[in-house]
Amino acid sequence: MHNKIFVYFFIMILIPVISLGTFSYLMATNFLQTQTENNQTQISRLIGKNIGMMLSDAQDISDFIGNNETIQSILSEPAPKQTSYSDSNLYNFLANLKRAKTYITFIILYGENGYMYRDFVNFYRQVIPYSDFKNSTTYMATAAKDGKPHWEFYTSPLFTYPHSYNEMLLGRRIVNIYEPDQKLGALYLGFNREAIDESIKQVSIGKSTNILLFDDNYNLVSMGQENRELRTEMAENLELKKSLLQLKNTATFKLMNVNYLTTTSSIDTFGWTVVILTPMEEITKQHALFLKITIVLSLSLLIVITVISALLSRGITQPVKTLLRSMHNFKRGDFNQQVTVQSRDEIGMLGHKYNEMVSELNDLIHKVYVSQTNQKMIELRNLQSQIEPHFLYNTLDFIFLNSKINGDNQTAEVVYSLSQLFRLSLNKGQDYYTVGDELKQIKAYIRIQHARFPNRFTPELDMDDAIEPYLTLKLVLQPIVENAILHAFNKQSPDKPGVLRICGKLEHDHIHFLIEDNGCGMPPDQVERLLEVPKQSRGGYGVRNVNERLQMLFGRRYALVIHSHIGQGTAISLRIPLIHSEEQWRELYESDGH
């Protein structure tokens, strides 16, 4: 009782504490994740805006170069002139522009009149002649834009010796600003991807958070934190990139068996996309701080509750402990126990009733002694009554032997069957025997009845030998067989000889018995009365008794099943479980059957 009261108090407070702690933790973690999602969304938009401004600036520079009057004048000439003052102004203008915009790695200017200008930041590269370059897809894509900027992921189409430079290509066709239909040439700028890398790497979100930038052709332009596996996956798996870039705003995305909180932001003007990947594991780790705080506060409160519960339960249960000690002494043989009752509550009433019980038990001891003496006398009478069956067996054996001596074999056979029937039915007072004994008992009963009614029926037995060692209830088949012999064939036509067929088979986890006859049969209401006949009724008691005993010991699914048709006969089916030993039978019987 002390432990129960303690547990009740503890649980009564534990449930609200756990509920409140869980609610607080879930609210805090939900707020943290929402905040993370909002931060990623804002940062992705900011990065997209900055990169968009950088790309727009590069396009503005290309537009500024293409519309420069000096360049327009040089490219408008029928053929390029020798170095002149205009060329010097052009060189100075482009050199200053290149130094001002550090992300420009080279400037290449083709003229339809054969003019070519090339300037490199780091090292010189061999440029493909304009006549040959016109056959490339890069030139065709640039020309198709008709003066608008064209971006490509690689710059190698411009050079004789292709090399993987960390730069992108911006190209545009130069047209006459006064006569737009006149094509003057083409301008190509090298755009250093490291400038984009720096703008991304300057952004710090989390240790494991990575920022990816894709162009409008699903090319990975830049990566915030270098990851070779991720870069390889993005280079080779186009479908994965399409699925990733189709995400809207913030969602969970599984990439290389890792779940990421993914935020996408589109740079609409250029069709580029910024993707931020934060492992969900990192977000979960951030939840640990809230979890630790919740656990510490909950444990502190539980410690206080434990102390209070222990004190309260001890004060309530102390009188009960005194009563239990007295009961323990009484159990050990001290029958003069009495407890002092100091309160008038339920505990005090319990002590008062205990004192009364002790007095009554002392009176009952004498009564039990007398009862045990009477029990011994009853057992003696039962022992004496066992002499009577032996007397009956000896008498039947005498009649059997005398009939044999006198040559009356039929009488001897009936007497022998009757003796065997009695022995098996009594079975030394046991309520069970083997299936083999049951079959012997049935055979003896059939021999007796067949001697009485030799022309009424013909018995047929089909029994599986494997079923004989198993245990069963006494008198399971005999009442059913008796019912068939006495009622099924009493109106049998001489032209239709009666047949009583008894089968027994071993089926999986049970034994199946089937008793069939070709007698007069029964209507459905009679079948129902046969299984559920009232106790005060005299008819059908044996079959009902078998049905009740089967269900009582083995369960309702072992009830008798009767199929009968008037004029065709009756079939009664029953099953018993496989019981191998007397110990198994006792366990089943002591547990009240099923």
Side-chain angles (χ1 to χ4, degrees), residues 100-385:
K101 302 299 180 181
T102 57
Y103 54 80
I104 296 178
T105 58
F106 64 81
I107 300 176
I108 297 177
L109 181 63
Y110 287 112
E112 297 290 340
N113 58 2
Y115 181 84
M116 177 185 285
Y117 172 86
R118 52 189 177 275
D119 189 12
F120 301 93
V121 173
N122 294 324
F123 48 87
Y124 178 81
R125 284 173 268 178
Q126 185 68 38
V127 180
I128 295 177
Y130 190 43
S131 58
D132 296 337
F133 180 68
K134 282 186 176 182
N135 296 323
S136 68
T137 56
T138 299
Y139 174 80
M140 294 179 184
T142 304
K145 290 293 184 73
D146 198 22
K148 295 181 180 180
H150 168 68
W151 287 91
E152 283 199 10
F153 191 68
Y154 299 105
T155 60
S156 54
L158 281 171
F159 305 111
T160 305
Y161 303 102
H163 185 74
S164 180
Y165 299 101
N166 190 27
E167 57 190 8
M168 298 182 66
L169 181 65
L170 171 61
R172 67 185 308 159
R173 197 164 192 176
I174 299 177
V175 298
N176 194 317
I177 57 177
Y178 301 107
E179 297 181 12
D181 293 335
Q182 183 181 3
K183 309 299 186 292
L184 300 180
L187 171 67
Y188 291 95
L189 301 178
F191 193 96
N192 191 350
R193 287 203 289 263
E194 292 182 357
I196 297 178
D197 293 341
E198 289 299 324
S199 65
I200 291 178
K201 290 178 180 179
Q202 291 174 359
V203 178
S204 178
I205 301 177
K207 293 182 179 180
S208 303
T209 301
N210 209 339
I211 302 174
L212 310 179
L213 178 64
F214 295 90
D215 66 7
D216 55 345
N217 288 319
Y218 300 104
N219 295 309
L220 179 60
V221 178
S222 179
M223 178 182 294
Q225 297 184 20
E226 184 59 33
N227 187 324
R228 290 185 180 181
E229 294 182 1
L230 182 60
R231 184 178 290 277
T232 302
E233 186 74 14
M234 289 299 159
E236 299 177 354
N237 196 334
L238 178 60
E239 294 300 324
L240 178 65
K241 289 190 286 186
K242 289 182 178 180
S243 300
L244 179 62
L245 299 183
Q246 286 176 357
L247 296 176
K248 300 299 181 182
N249 298 326
T250 302
T252 302
F253 188 81
K254 190 171 186 178
L255 181 62
M256 296 189 304
N257 296 323
V258 178
N259 288 323
Y260 289 92
L261 181 65
T262 306
T263 302
T264 60
S265 180
S266 177
I267 307 175
D268 296 330
T269 305
F270 302 94
W272 290 25
T273 305
V274 179
V275 179
I276 300 180
L277 300 174
T278 300
M280 294 300 297
E281 182 179 0
E282 181 175 334
I283 297 176
T284 304
K285 289 180 180 179
Q286 296 176 4
H287 298 171
L289 177 61
F290 295 100
L291 181 60
K292 289 179 180 178
I293 295 174
T294 303
I295 291 175
V296 170
L297 292 177
S298 299
L299 289 178
S300 301
L301 184 57
L302 288 177
I303 291 173
V304 175
I305 294 171
T306 301
V307 175
I308 295 175
S309 299
L311 295 175
L312 289 175
S313 60
R314 181 179 180 182
I316 295 173
T317 59
Q318 189 61 40
V320 179
K321 290 181 179 180
T322 302
L323 184 59
L324 288 175
R325 281 195 296 268
S326 178
M327 289 181 178
H328 181 68
N329 294 332
F330 182 85
K331 180 181 177 182
R332 297 176 62 181
D334 186 0
F335 302 127
N336 296 319
Q337 288 293 314
Q338 291 289 317
V339 296
T340 303
V341 179
Q342 298 178 348
S343 61
R344 296 183 179 180
D345 56 11
E346 288 80 359
I347 303 299
M349 294 176 62
L350 182 62
H352 179 71
K353 293 296 182 181
Y354 169 74
N355 292 336
E356 292 181 355
M357 181 192 68
V358 170
S359 299
E360 292 177 358
L361 284 177
N362 284 324
D363 294 335
L364 287 174
I365 291 175
H366 178 70
K367 296 179 181 179
V368 171
Y369 175 77
V370 175
S371 175
Q372 289 179 347
T373 303
N374 294 333
Q375 182 67 27
K376 293 295 182 180
M377 295 177 64
I378 293 173
E379 292 176 357
L380 179 60
R381 294 193 188 97
N382 289 336
L383 182 60
Q384 293 172 348
S385 66

Side-chain angles (χ1 to χ4, degrees), residues 37-61:
E37 294 176 0
N38 293 337
N39 290 341
Q40 285 196 181
T41 301
Q42 294 177 4
I43 292 174
S44 65
R45 291 176 181 174
L46 180 61
I47 293 174
K49 184 177 180 180
N50 292 338
I51 294 175
M53 292 176 62
M54 188 180 298
L55 298 178
S56 296
D57 186 48
Q59 292 186 170
D60 291 343
I61 291 173

